[in-house]
Amino acid sequence: MATVILLRHARSTANGAGVLAGRTPGVGLAERGEEQARELVDRLAGVPVAGLVRSPLHRCVQTLEPLSAKLGLTAVEEPRLSEVDYGEWTGRGIKDLVEEPLWKVVQQHPSAAVFPGGEGLAEVQARAVAAIREHDARMTAEHGENAVWIACSHGDVIKAVLADALGLHLDSFQRIVVEPCSMSVVTYTETRPYVLRVNDTGGDLSSLVPRADAAAMATAHAAVGGSTA
């Protein structure tokens, strides 16, 4: 199967503002976020990106604009990769939300958390994982098993997808860190996903380009003992 780069949007005006932005319309990138979006072009210069898929929200649109222009690719909008619908919590200050009884549930037992007037985190994971797997199958069918593609989404959404790929219960997803403009990389196969990177905020990513013998290598390294040596 293809390899997906799970890209969190670049730093937005809401990041660090102490407010749960959620799906609030018009939240765009901060100045640093615009720089991060431009830097993506160099970070991915050695990666033959076959396709772009993104959340409908403006901060994801902006994050992919420089890369889309450089590659000549139009990003496919995927509503299932949108931010969590926080319902009545949207737009509220974090300092107030931490006093809510549900806050502890979100942190310690997220699989049971359902936001008032919004959606549950288990629901988020189900929709996001389904979307990633469907687009991955499409990319593989259209561009081959060595294709690399990008899905631009949001922190909690990507953490939920990674928890699934790592075989972790959703209640462990708060242990995963996904920073703005970080890349986490997953290769899905018929038997299991392989998580290649998590929260990568560094430079050149050309080493992500799959080798022709990647499937055989993955099978070997998954064997008892970790290798054939």
Side-chain angles (χ1 to χ4, degrees):
M1 299 290 280
T3 295
V4 58
I5 298 174
L6 301 168
L7 170 67
R8 184 182 176 186
H9 63 78
R11 186 171 181 83
S12 74
T13 54
N15 293 140
V19 175
L20 194 63
R23 298 182 179 182
T24 303
V27 176
L29 298 185
E31 183 176 350
R32 174 54 186 147
E34 293 175 349
E35 294 175 354
Q36 289 175 324
R38 291 191 293 269
E39 290 167 359
L40 282 175
V41 175
D42 290 332
R43 288 176 67 192
L44 290 162
V47 181
V49 177
L52 305 172
V53 180
R54 61 164 174 78
S55 155
L57 297 185
H58 186 51
R59 50 195 182 271
C60 289
V61 175
Q62 284 186 296
T63 297
L64 286 182
E65 280 178 344
L67 187 63
S68 179
K70 176 66 175 180
L71 299 176
L73 294 173
T74 300
V76 175
E77 184 176 296
E78 174 51 79
R80 291 175 294 176
L81 295 182
S82 190
E83 177 63 288
V84 180
D85 182 356
Y86 294 111
E88 296 170 14
W89 280 26
T90 303
R92 292 184 59 186
I94 302 298
K95 62 181 179 62
D96 297 324
L97 291 174
V98 296
E99 303 299 326
E100 296 280 354
L102 181 61
W103 183 265
K104 290 183 178 180
V105 179
V106 172
Q107 299 303 316
Q108 299 175 21
H109 188 26
S111 63
V114 179
F115 296 98
E119 63 182 338
L121 288 172
E123 196 178 344
V124 173
Q125 185 182 54
R127 64 163 163 87
V129 170
I132 292 296
R133 285 183 173 274
E134 287 176 23
H135 283 285
D136 194 70
R138 176 177 63 83
M139 292 291 180
T140 301
E142 294 178 1
H143 302 285
E145 293 189 353
N146 288 333
V148 180
W149 63 285
I150 294 174
C152 184
S153 187
H154 307 267
D156 281 348
V157 179
I158 293 174
K159 285 162 58 177
V161 172
L162 286 172
D164 172 79
L166 288 165
L168 299 176
H169 195 282
L170 183 59
D171 287 345
S172 297
F173 101 128
Q174 295 288 24
R175 302 180 184 187
I176 302 170
V177 176
V178 175
E179 299 177 87
C181 218
S182 67
M183 300 189 202
S184 301
V185 185
V186 180
T187 297
Y188 290 93
T189 73
E190 292 181 357
T191 55
R192 64 174 69 86
Y194 291 92
V195 179
L196 307 181
R197 297 196 186 191
V198 175
N199 195 41
D200 190 318
T201 58
D204 175 38
L205 293 176
S206 59
S207 63
L208 294 178
V209 180
R211 293 171 46 179
D213 60 348
M217 289 290 290
T219 300
H221 285 286
V224 175
S227 72
T228 56

